[in-house]
Coordinates of all heavy atoms in Angstrom, one line a residue:
M1 N 0.9 -1.3 0.1 CA 0.0 0.0 0.0 C 0.9 1.3 0.0 O 1.7 1.3 0.9 CB -0.9 -0.1 1.3 CG -2.1 1.0 1.2 SD -3.1 1.0 2.7 CE -4.1 -0.4 2.5
N2 N 0.7 2.1 -1.0 CA 1.5 3.5 -1.0 C 0.9 4.5 -0.2 O -0.2 4.2 0.6 CB 1.8 3.9 -2.5 CG 0.3 4.4 -3.0 OD1 -0.6 4.9 -2.3 ND2 0.3 4.4 -4.3
V3 N 1.6 5.6 0.1 CA 1.2 6.5 1.1 C -0.2 7.1 0.9 O -1.0 7.5 1.7 CB 2.4 7.6 1.2 CG1 2.4 8.5 0.0 CG2 2.1 8.4 2.4
I4 N -0.6 7.3 -0.5 CA -1.9 7.9 -0.8 C -2.9 6.9 -0.4 O -4.1 7.2 0.1 CB -2.0 8.1 -2.4 CG1 -0.9 9.1 -2.8 CG2 -3.3 8.5 -2.7 CD1 -1.1 10.5 -2.5
E5 N -2.8 5.6 -0.7 CA -3.7 4.6 -0.3 C -3.8 4.5 1.2 O -5.1 4.4 1.8 CB -3.4 3.2 -0.9 CG -3.4 3.1 -2.4 CD -2.7 1.8 -3.0 OE1 -1.9 1.3 -2.2 OE2 -3.0 1.6 -4.1
E6 N -2.7 4.7 1.9 CA -2.9 4.6 3.4 C -3.7 5.8 3.9 O -4.4 5.7 4.8 CB -1.5 4.7 3.9 CG -0.8 3.4 4.0 CD 0.7 3.5 4.6 OE1 0.9 4.3 5.4 OE2 1.4 2.6 4.2
L7 N -3.4 6.9 3.3 CA -4.1 8.1 3.7 C -5.6 8.0 3.4 O -6.5 8.3 4.3 CB -3.6 9.4 2.8 CG -4.4 10.7 3.1 CD1 -3.3 11.9 3.3 CD2 -5.3 11.1 2.1
N8 N -5.9 7.6 2.2 CA -7.4 7.4 1.9 C -8.1 6.3 2.8 O -9.2 6.5 3.3 CB -7.6 6.9 0.5 CG -7.3 8.0 -0.5 OD1 -7.3 9.2 -0.2 ND2 -7.0 7.6 -1.7
E9 N -7.3 5.3 3.1 CA -7.8 4.3 4.0 C -8.0 4.9 5.5 O -9.1 4.6 6.0 CB -6.7 3.1 4.3 CG -7.2 1.8 4.8 CD -8.2 1.2 3.8 OE1 -8.1 1.3 2.7 OE2 -9.1 0.5 4.5
E10 N -7.2 5.9 5.8 CA -7.3 6.5 7.2 C -8.6 7.4 7.2 O -9.4 7.3 8.1 CB -6.1 7.1 7.4 CG -6.0 7.7 9.0 CD -6.0 6.5 9.8 OE1 -5.5 5.4 9.7 OE2 -6.7 6.7 10.9
V11 N -8.7 8.2 6.2 CA -9.9 9.1 6.2 C -11.2 8.4 6.0 O -12.2 8.9 6.5 CB -9.8 10.2 5.0 CG1 -8.5 11.0 5.2 CG2 -9.9 9.7 3.6
R12 N -11.4 7.2 5.4 CA -12.6 6.4 5.3 C -13.0 6.1 6.7 O -14.3 6.0 7.0 CB -12.3 5.1 4.4 CG -12.2 5.5 3.0 CD -11.9 4.3 2.2 NE -11.4 4.7 0.9 CZ -10.4 4.2 0.1 NH1 -9.7 3.1 0.7 NH2 -10.0 4.6 -0.9
K13 N -12.1 5.9 7.6 CA -12.5 5.5 9.0 C -13.3 6.7 9.7 O -14.0 6.3 10.8 CB -11.3 5.1 9.8 CG -10.6 3.8 9.3 CD -9.3 3.6 10.2 CE -8.5 2.6 9.7 NZ -7.1 2.6 10.3
R14 N -13.3 7.8 9.2 CA -14.0 8.9 9.9 C -15.4 9.1 9.6 O -16.0 9.9 10.0 CB -13.1 10.2 9.4 CG -11.8 10.3 9.8 CD -11.1 11.6 9.3 NE -9.6 11.6 9.5 CZ -8.8 12.5 8.9 NH1 -9.4 13.4 8.3 NH2 -7.5 12.4 9.2
R15 N -15.9 8.3 8.5 CA -17.2 8.4 8.0 C -18.2 7.6 9.0 O -18.1 6.5 9.0 CB -17.3 7.8 6.6 CG -16.6 8.7 5.6 CD -16.6 8.1 4.1 NE -15.5 8.7 3.5 CZ -14.9 8.1 2.4 NH1 -15.2 6.8 2.1 NH2 -14.0 8.7 1.8
K16 N -18.9 8.4 9.8 CA -19.9 7.8 10.7 C -21.3 7.7 10.1 O -21.9 6.7 10.1 CB -19.8 8.4 12.1 CG -18.5 8.5 12.6 CD -17.8 7.2 12.9 CE -16.4 7.3 13.5 NZ -15.6 6.2 13.3
K17 N -21.8 8.9 9.8 CA -23.2 9.0 9.3 C -23.2 10.1 8.3 O -22.6 11.1 8.5 CB -24.2 9.0 10.3 CG -23.9 10.2 11.1 CD -25.1 10.3 12.2 CE -24.9 11.6 13.0 NZ -25.9 11.9 13.8
P18 N -24.1 10.1 7.3 CA -24.3 11.1 6.3 C -24.9 12.4 7.1 O -25.6 12.2 7.9 CB -25.2 10.6 5.2 CG -25.3 9.2 5.4 CD -24.8 8.8 6.7
Y19 N -24.5 13.6 6.6 CA -24.9 14.8 7.2 C -25.8 15.6 6.6 O -26.7 16.3 7.1 CB -23.7 15.6 7.7 CG -24.0 16.8 8.5 CD1 -24.2 16.8 9.9 CD2 -24.1 18.0 7.9 CE1 -24.6 17.8 10.6 CE2 -24.4 19.2 8.6 CZ -24.7 19.1 9.9 OH -24.9 20.2 10.7
N20 N -25.7 15.6 5.2 CA -26.4 16.6 4.4 C -26.8 15.9 3.1 O -26.3 14.9 2.7 CB -25.6 17.8 4.1 CG -24.6 17.5 3.0 OD1 -24.9 17.4 1.8 ND2 -23.4 17.1 3.5
K21 N -27.8 16.5 2.4 CA -28.1 16.2 1.1 C -27.9 17.3 0.2 O -28.4 18.5 0.3 CB -29.6 15.8 1.0 CG -30.0 14.6 1.7 CD -31.5 14.2 1.6 CE -31.9 13.1 2.5 NZ -33.1 13.4 3.2
G22 N -26.9 17.2 -0.8 CA -26.8 18.2 -1.7 C -25.6 19.0 -1.6 O -25.5 20.0 -2.4
A23 N -24.8 19.0 -0.6 CA -23.7 19.9 -0.5 C -22.7 19.6 -1.7 O -22.5 18.4 -2.1 CB -22.8 19.7 0.8
K24 N -22.1 20.6 -2.3 CA -21.2 20.5 -3.3 C -19.9 21.0 -2.9 O -19.8 22.2 -2.4 CB -21.7 21.2 -4.6 CG -22.9 20.6 -5.2 CD -23.1 21.2 -6.5 CE -24.4 20.6 -7.2 NZ -25.2 21.6 -7.8
I25 N -18.8 20.1 -2.9 CA -17.5 20.5 -2.6 C -16.8 20.6 -4.0 O -16.5 19.7 -4.5 CB -16.8 19.5 -1.7 CG1 -17.5 19.4 -0.3 CG2 -15.3 20.0 -1.4 CD1 -18.6 18.4 -0.2
L26 N -16.5 21.8 -4.3 CA -15.8 22.1 -5.6 C -14.5 22.2 -5.5 O -13.9 23.2 -4.7 CB -16.6 23.4 -6.2 CG -18.1 23.3 -6.3 CD1 -18.5 24.7 -6.5 CD2 -18.6 22.3 -7.2
I27 N -13.6 21.4 -6.2 CA -12.3 21.5 -6.3 C -11.7 21.8 -7.7 O -12.1 21.1 -8.5 CB -11.7 20.2 -5.7 CG1 -12.2 19.9 -4.3 CG2 -10.2 20.3 -5.7 CD1 -11.8 18.6 -3.8
N28 N -10.9 22.9 -7.7 CA -10.3 23.2 -8.8 C -9.0 22.4 -9.0 O -8.0 22.6 -8.4 CB -9.9 24.7 -8.8 CG -9.3 25.1 -10.2 OD1 -8.7 24.4 -10.9 ND2 -9.6 26.5 -10.6
T29 N -9.1 21.4 -9.8 CA -8.1 20.4 -9.9 C -6.8 20.9 -10.6 O -5.8 20.4 -10.5 CB -8.5 19.1 -10.4 OG1 -9.0 19.3 -11.8 CG2 -9.5 18.3 -9.7
E30 N -7.0 22.0 -11.4 CA -5.8 22.7 -11.9 C -4.9 23.4 -10.9 O -3.7 23.5 -11.0 CB -6.2 23.7 -13.1 CG -6.7 22.8 -14.3 CD -7.2 23.7 -15.3 OE1 -6.8 25.0 -15.4 OE2 -7.8 23.2 -16.3
L31 N -5.6 23.9 -9.9 CA -4.9 24.6 -8.9 C -4.3 23.7 -7.8 O -3.4 24.0 -7.0 CB -5.8 25.7 -8.1 CG -6.4 26.9 -9.0 CD1 -7.2 27.7 -8.1 CD2 -5.1 27.7 -9.4
C32 N -5.0 22.5 -7.6 CA -4.6 21.5 -6.6 C -3.1 21.0 -6.8 O -2.7 20.6 -7.8 CB -5.5 20.3 -6.6 SG -5.1 19.1 -5.4
K33 N -2.4 21.1 -5.7 CA -1.0 20.7 -5.9 C -0.8 19.5 -5.0 O 0.4 19.0 -4.8 CB 0.0 21.6 -5.5 CG 0.0 22.2 -3.9 CD 1.0 23.2 -3.6 CE 0.8 23.6 -2.2 NZ 1.5 25.1 -2.0
S34 N -1.9 18.8 -4.7 CA -1.8 17.4 -4.3 C -1.1 17.2 -2.9 O -0.6 16.3 -2.6 CB -1.1 16.5 -5.2 OG -1.4 15.1 -5.1
C35 N -1.3 18.3 -2.1 CA -0.7 18.2 -0.8 C -1.4 17.4 0.2 O -0.8 17.0 1.3 CB -0.4 19.7 -0.1 SG -2.0 20.5 0.2
A36 N -2.7 17.2 0.0 CA -3.6 16.3 0.9 C -3.8 17.1 2.1 O -4.5 16.3 3.1 CB -2.9 15.0 1.0
L37 N -3.6 18.3 2.4 CA -4.0 18.9 3.6 C -5.5 18.8 3.8 O -6.0 18.6 4.9 CB -3.4 20.3 3.7 CG -1.9 20.5 3.9 CD1 -1.5 22.0 3.7 CD2 -1.6 20.1 5.3
C38 N -6.2 19.0 2.8 CA -7.7 19.0 2.9 C -8.2 17.7 3.3 O -9.1 17.6 4.3 CB -8.3 19.5 1.6 SG -7.9 18.4 0.1
A39 N -7.6 16.7 2.8 CA -8.1 15.3 3.2 C -7.7 15.0 4.7 O -8.5 14.4 5.4 CB -7.5 14.2 2.2
L40 N -6.5 15.5 5.1 CA -6.1 15.2 6.4 C -6.9 16.0 7.4 O -7.3 15.5 8.5 CB -4.7 15.6 6.6 CG -3.7 14.7 5.9 CD1 -2.2 15.4 5.7 CD2 -3.5 13.4 6.6
V41 N -7.4 17.1 7.0 CA -8.0 18.1 8.0 C -9.6 17.7 8.1 O -10.2 18.0 9.2 CB -7.8 19.5 7.7 CG1 -8.6 20.0 6.6 CG2 -7.9 20.4 8.9
C42 N -10.2 17.2 7.1 CA -11.6 16.9 7.1 C -12.0 15.9 8.2 O -11.6 14.8 8.1 CB -12.0 16.5 5.7 SG -13.8 16.1 5.7
P43 N -12.8 16.3 9.1 CA -13.1 15.5 10.2 C -14.0 14.3 9.9 O -14.2 13.4 10.6 CB -13.8 16.4 11.2 CG -14.1 17.7 10.5 CD -13.4 17.7 9.2
T44 N -14.6 14.4 8.8 CA -15.7 13.4 8.4 C -15.4 12.5 7.1 O -16.3 11.8 6.6 CB -17.0 13.9 8.2 OG1 -16.9 15.0 7.3 CG2 -17.6 14.5 9.6
G45 N -14.2 12.6 6.7 CA -13.7 11.7 5.6 C -14.3 12.0 4.2 O -14.5 11.0 3.5
V46 N -14.7 13.3 4.0 CA -15.3 13.6 2.7 C -14.3 13.4 1.6 O -14.7 12.9 0.4 CB -15.8 15.0 2.8 CG1 -16.4 15.3 1.4 CG2 -16.8 15.0 3.8
L47 N -13.0 13.8 1.8 CA -12.1 13.9 0.7 C -11.0 12.9 0.6 O -10.6 12.4 1.7 CB -11.4 15.3 0.8 CG -12.3 16.6 1.0 CD1 -11.7 17.6 1.8 CD2 -12.6 17.0 -0.4
E48 N -10.8 12.4 -0.5 CA -9.7 11.5 -0.8 C -8.8 12.0 -1.9 O -9.1 12.9 -2.6 CB -10.3 10.1 -1.3 CG -11.0 9.3 -0.2 CD -11.3 7.9 -0.6 OE1 -10.8 7.4 -1.6 OE2 -12.3 7.4 0.0
M49 N -7.6 11.5 -1.9 CA -6.7 11.9 -3.0 C -6.8 10.8 -4.2 O -6.9 9.6 -4.0 CB -5.3 11.8 -2.6 CG -5.0 12.8 -1.4 SD -5.5 14.6 -1.9 CE -4.5 14.9 -3.2
V50 N -7.1 11.3 -5.4 CA -7.3 10.4 -6.5 C -6.4 10.6 -7.7 O -6.0 11.7 -7.7 CB -8.9 10.5 -7.0 CG1 -9.8 10.1 -5.9 CG2 -9.1 11.8 -7.5
E51 N -6.1 9.5 -8.4 CA -5.3 9.7 -9.5 C -5.8 10.7 -10.5 O -7.0 10.6 -10.9 CB -5.0 8.4 -10.1 CG -3.7 8.3 -11.0 CD -3.4 6.8 -11.4 OE1 -3.9 5.9 -10.7 OE2 -2.7 6.7 -12.5
N52 N -5.1 11.6 -11.1 CA -5.5 12.6 -12.0 C -4.3 12.8 -13.0 O -3.4 13.7 -12.6 CB -5.9 13.8 -11.3 CG -6.4 14.9 -12.2 OD1 -6.4 14.7 -13.4 ND2 -6.9 16.1 -11.7
K53 N -4.4 12.3 -14.1 CA -3.3 12.4 -15.1 C -3.1 13.9 -15.6 O -2.2 14.3 -16.2 CB -3.4 11.4 -16.2 CG -3.2 9.9 -15.8 CD -1.8 9.6 -15.5 CE -1.7 8.2 -15.0 NZ -0.5 7.9 -14.2
K54 N -4.2 14.6 -15.4 CA -4.2 16.1 -16.0 C -3.4 16.9 -15.1 O -3.2 18.1 -15.4 CB -5.7 16.5 -16.3 CG -6.2 15.9 -17.4 CD -7.7 16.4 -17.7 CE -8.3 15.6 -18.8 NZ -9.7 15.9 -18.8
N55 N -3.3 16.5 -13.8 CA -2.6 17.3 -12.8 C -1.1 17.0 -12.9 O -0.8 15.8 -13.0 CB -3.2 17.1 -11.4 CG -2.7 17.8 -10.3 OD1 -1.4 17.7 -10.0 ND2 -3.4 18.7 -9.7
I56 N -0.3 18.0 -12.7 CA 1.1 17.8 -12.9 C 1.8 16.9 -11.9 O 2.9 16.2 -12.0 CB 2.0 19.1 -13.0 CG1 1.7 19.9 -11.8 CG2 1.7 19.9 -14.3 CD1 2.7 21.1 -11.6
Y57 N 1.1 16.7 -10.7 CA 1.5 15.9 -9.6 C 0.9 14.4 -9.6 O 1.1 13.6 -8.8 CB 1.2 16.5 -8.4 CG 1.8 17.9 -8.1 CD1 1.0 19.0 -8.2 CD2 3.1 18.0 -7.9 CE1 1.7 20.2 -8.1 CE2 3.8 19.2 -7.8 CZ 3.0 20.4 -7.9 OH 3.7 21.6 -7.8
N58 N -0.1 14.3 -10.7 CA -0.7 13.0 -11.1 C -1.8 12.6 -10.0 O -2.6 11.6 -10.2 CB 0.3 11.9 -11.1 CG 1.1 11.8 -12.3 OD1 0.6 12.2 -13.4 ND2 2.3 11.3 -12.2
Y59 N -2.0 13.4 -8.9 CA -3.1 13.2 -8.1 C -3.8 14.6 -7.8 O -3.2 15.7 -7.9 CB -2.6 12.7 -6.7 CG -2.3 11.3 -6.6 CD1 -0.9 10.8 -7.0 CD2 -3.2 10.3 -6.5 CE1 -0.6 9.5 -7.1 CE2 -3.0 8.9 -6.5 CZ -1.6 8.6 -6.7 OH -1.3 7.2 -6.9
S60 N -5.0 14.4 -7.4 CA -5.7 15.8 -6.9 C -6.8 15.3 -6.0 O -7.1 14.1 -5.9 CB -6.3 16.6 -8.0 OG -7.3 15.8 -8.7
A61 N -7.2 16.2 -5.2 CA -8.2 16.0 -4.1 C -9.6 15.8 -4.8 O -9.9 16.5 -5.8 CB -8.3 17.1 -3.1
E62 N -10.5 14.9 -4.2 CA -11.7 14.7 -4.8 C -12.8 14.5 -3.6 O -12.4 13.8 -2.6 CB -11.9 13.6 -5.7 CG -13.2 13.4 -6.4 CD -13.2 12.3 -7.4 OE1 -12.3 12.3 -8.4 OE2 -14.1 11.5 -7.4
A63 N -13.9 15.0 -3.7 CA -14.8 15.0 -2.7 C -15.6 13.7 -3.1 O -16.7 13.7 -3.7 CB -15.8 16.1 -2.5
V64 N -15.3 12.6 -2.5 CA -15.9 11.3 -2.9 C -17.1 10.9 -2.1 O -17.9 10.2 -2.5 CB -14.9 10.0 -2.7 CG1 -13.7 10.2 -3.7 CG2 -14.5 9.9 -1.4
K65 N -17.2 11.6 -0.9 CA -18.5 11.4 -0.2 C -19.1 12.7 0.3 O -19.0 13.1 1.6 CB -18.2 10.5 1.0 CG -17.8 9.2 0.8 CD -19.1 8.3 0.4 CE -18.7 6.9 0.2 NZ -19.9 6.1 -0.3
P66 N -19.6 13.5 -0.6 CA -20.1 14.9 -0.1 C -21.2 14.8 0.8 O -21.3 15.8 1.5 CB -20.5 15.5 -1.5 CG -20.7 14.3 -2.5 CD -19.7 13.2 -2.0
E67 N -21.8 13.7 0.8 CA -23.0 13.6 1.8 C -22.5 13.6 3.2 O -23.3 13.7 4.2 CB -24.0 12.5 1.5 CG -23.2 11.0 1.7 CD -22.6 10.5 0.5 OE1 -22.0 11.4 -0.4 OE2 -22.4 9.3 0.4
Y68 N -21.4 13.4 3.6 CA -20.8 13.4 4.8 C -20.2 14.9 5.2 O -19.7 15.0 6.4 CB -19.6 12.3 4.9 CG -20.1 11.0 5.0 CD1 -20.4 10.3 3.8 CD2 -20.1 10.2 6.2 CE1 -20.9 9.0 3.9 CE2 -20.6 9.0 6.4 CZ -21.0 8.3 5.1 OH -21.5 6.9 5.1
C69 N -20.3 15.7 4.4 CA -19.8 17.1 4.7 C -20.7 17.8 5.7 O -21.8 17.8 5.6 CB -19.7 17.8 3.4 SG -19.1 19.6 3.6
T70 N -20.0 18.3 6.8 CA -20.8 19.1 7.7 C -20.7 20.6 7.5 O -21.2 21.4 8.4 CB -20.1 18.8 9.1 OG1 -18.8 19.2 9.2 CG2 -20.2 17.4 9.5
L71 N -20.2 20.9 6.3 CA -20.1 22.3 6.0 C -19.2 23.2 6.9 O -19.4 24.4 7.2 CB -21.5 23.0 5.8 CG -22.5 22.2 4.8 CD1 -23.9 22.7 5.2 CD2 -22.1 22.3 3.5
C72 N -18.2 22.6 7.5 CA -17.4 23.2 8.5 C -16.3 24.3 7.8 O -15.8 25.1 8.6 CB -16.6 22.2 9.4 SG -15.3 21.3 8.4
N73 N -16.1 24.0 6.6 CA -15.2 24.9 5.8 C -13.7 24.7 6.3 O -12.9 25.5 5.8 CB -15.6 26.4 6.0 CG -16.6 26.8 5.0 OD1 -16.3 26.6 3.7 ND2 -17.8 27.0 5.3
L74 N -13.4 23.7 7.1 CA -11.9 23.6 7.4 C -11.1 23.4 6.2 O -10.0 23.9 6.1 CB -11.8 22.3 8.4 CG -12.2 22.6 9.8 CD1 -12.0 21.3 10.7 CD2 -11.2 23.7 10.4
C75 N -11.6 22.6 5.3 CA -10.7 22.4 4.1 C -10.4 23.6 3.3 O -9.5 23.8 2.6 CB -11.4 21.3 3.3 SG -13.1 21.6 2.6
V76 N -11.6 24.4 3.3 CA -11.5 25.7 2.5 C -10.3 26.5 3.0 O -9.5 27.0 2.3 CB -12.8 26.4 2.4 CG1 -12.8 27.8 1.7 CG2 -13.8 25.7 1.8
Y77 N -10.3 26.7 4.4 CA -9.3 27.4 5.0 C -8.0 26.9 4.9 O -7.0 27.6 4.9 CB -9.7 27.7 6.5 CG -11.0 28.5 6.7 CD1 -12.0 28.0 7.6 CD2 -11.2 29.7 5.9 CE1 -13.2 28.7 7.7 CE2 -12.5 30.3 6.1 CZ -13.5 29.8 7.0 OH -14.7 30.5 7.2
Q78 N -7.9 25.7 4.9 CA -6.6 24.8 5.0 C -5.9 24.9 3.6 O -4.6 25.0 3.5 CB -6.8 23.4 5.4 CG -5.6 22.6 5.7 CD -5.0 23.1 7.0 OE1 -5.6 23.1 8.0 NE2 -3.7 23.3 7.1
C79 N -6.7 24.8 2.6 CA -6.0 24.8 1.2 C -5.1 26.0 1.0 O -5.5 27.1 0.8 CB -7.0 24.6 0.2 SG -6.4 24.5 -1.5
P80 N -3.9 25.6 0.7 CA -2.9 26.8 0.5 C -3.1 27.4 -0.9 O -2.6 28.5 -1.3 CB -1.5 26.2 0.6 CG -1.7 24.7 0.7 CD -3.2 24.4 0.7
D81 N -3.8 26.7 -1.8 CA -4.0 27.3 -3.1 C -5.4 27.8 -3.6 O -5.8 27.8 -4.7 CB -3.5 26.2 -4.1 CG -2.1 25.8 -3.9 OD1 -1.3 26.7 -4.3 OD2 -1.8 24.8 -3.4
F82 N -6.2 27.8 -2.4 CA -7.6 28.4 -2.7 C -8.4 27.6 -3.7 O -9.0 28.1 -4.6 CB -7.6 29.9 -3.0 CG -6.8 30.7 -2.0 CD1 -5.4 31.1 -2.3 CD2 -7.3 31.0 -0.7 CE1 -4.7 31.8 -1.3 CE2 -6.6 31.7 0.1 CZ -5.3 32.2 -0.1
A83 N -8.1 26.3 -3.7 CA -8.8 25.5 -4.7 C -10.0 24.9 -4.3 O -10.7 24.3 -5.2 CB -7.7 24.3 -5.0
I84 N -10.5 25.1 -3.1 CA -11.8 24.4 -2.7 C -12.8 25.5 -2.4 O -12.6 26.5 -1.8 CB -11.5 23.7 -1.5 CG1 -10.5 22.7 -1.7 CG2 -12.8 22.8 -1.0 CD1 -10.1 21.9 -0.4
S85 N -14.0 25.3 -2.8 CA -15.2 26.2 -2.4 C -16.3 25.2 -2.1 O -16.4 24.1 -2.7 CB -15.5 27.1 -3.5 OG -15.9 26.5 -4.7
I86 N -17.2 25.6 -1.2 CA -18.4 24.8 -0.8 C -19.6 25.4 -1.2 O -19.8 26.6 -0.9 CB -18.3 24.6 0.7 CG1 -16.9 24.1 1.2 CG2 -19.4 23.6 1.2 CD1 -16.7 22.7 1.1
E87 N -20.7 24.6 -1.6 CA -21.9 25.2 -1.9 C -23.0 24.3 -1.1 O -22.9 23.1 -1.1 CB -22.3 25.0 -3.4 CG -21.8 26.0 -4.3 CD -22.2 25.7 -5.8 OE1 -23.1 25.0 -6.0 OE2 -21.6 26.4 -6.6
K88 N -23.7 25.0 -0.3 CA -24.5 24.3 0.7 C -25.5 23.3 0.1 O -25.7 22.2 0.8 CB -25.2 25.4 1.6 CG -25.8 24.8 2.9 CD -26.3 26.0 3.6 CE -27.1 25.4 4.9 NZ -27.7 26.4 5.7
G89 N -26.1 23.6 -1.0 CA -27.1 22.7 -1.5 C -28.3 22.6 -0.7 O -28.8 23.5 -0.2
G90 N -28.9 21.4 -0.8 CA -30.3 21.2 -0.2 C -30.3 21.2 1.4 O -31.4 21.0 2.0
G91 N -29.1 21.0 2.0 CA -29.1 21.0 3.5 C -29.5 19.6 4.2 O -29.4 18.7 3.3
K92 N -29.8 19.6 5.3 CA -30.0 18.3 5.9 C -31.2 17.6 5.4 O -32.2 18.1 5.1 CB -30.3 18.5 7.5 CG -29.1 18.2 8.3 CD -29.4 18.3 9.8 CE -28.2 17.9 10.6 NZ -28.5 18.0 12.0
Ligands
LIG1 S1 -5.5 21.3 0.3 FE1 -5.8 22.2 -1.7 S2 -3.9 21.9 -2.9 FE2 -3.9 20.5 -1.1 S3 -4.8 18.6 -1.9 FE3 -6.6 19.8 -1.0 S4 -7.3 20.9 -2.8 FE4 -5.3 20.2 -3.4
LIG2 S1 -16.3 21.6 4.7 FE1 -15.6 20.3 6.6 S2 -16.7 18.4 6.4 FE2 -16.9 19.5 4.3 S3 -15.3 18.6 3.1 FE3 -14.5 20.4 4.1 S4 -13.4 19.9 5.9 FE4 -14.8 18.1 5.3

């Protein structure tokens, strides 16, 4: 298991129950430098690092489980490249 798989495995353990319906976590994958800070900081395991051949680092963050998002905005504040924005959507 490589370090990315280990990280994804770790964040999956944080998913306890869905929180919302319709939140959109928008990630500009061109700005993403694959640092994984957002995935590390997300308390509910919404974000994983996924392979992305269009990104120069070959990986980018992706909101694989947006329904677990609590809209806390930690990932938005943490991203050094301002690559993430959140749309609330339909709420709970
Ligand atoms: S914190 Fe920003 S730059 Fe780092 S992986 Fe997440 S979206 Fe990409
Ligand atoms: S807003 Fe909070 S819960 Fe939602 S993806 Fe970002 S860090 Fe995770």
Side-chain angles (χ1 to χ4, degrees):
M1 195 184 281
N2 69 28
V3 69
I4 298 285
E5 289 165 347
E6 279 180 26
L7 179 137
N8 287 339
E9 199 63 35
E10 197 51 44
V11 302
R12 285 174 198 142
K13 293 177 190 165
R14 302 176 186 171
R15 293 173 194 153
K16 305 299 180 201
K17 59 175 183 173
Y19 181 80
N20 77 84
K21 292 183 189 134
K24 287 190 185 137
I25 296 94
L26 307 168
I27 299 174
N28 184 330
T29 54
E30 287 180 16
L31 293 178
C32 176
K33 66 179 173 204
S34 199
C35 67
L37 285 173
C38 55
L40 285 167
V41 81
C42 176
T44 53
V46 172
L47 303 152
E48 291 187 19
M49 300 305 297
V50 299
E51 205 170 333
N52 179 359
K53 295 290 182 202
K54 290 182 183 166
N55 185 289
I56 57 168
Y57 302 102
N58 284 330
Y59 283 91
S60 59
E62 186 174 306
V64 296
K65 292 283 181 184
E67 67 271 30
Y68 286 78
C69 178
T70 62
L71 309 167
C72 70
N73 275 298
L74 280 175
C75 58
V76 175
Y77 298 131
Q78 191 71 48
C79 178
D81 295 287
F82 306 102
I84 308 177
S85 59
I86 308 280
E87 281 179 14
K88 192 173 175 185
K92 256 184 176 180

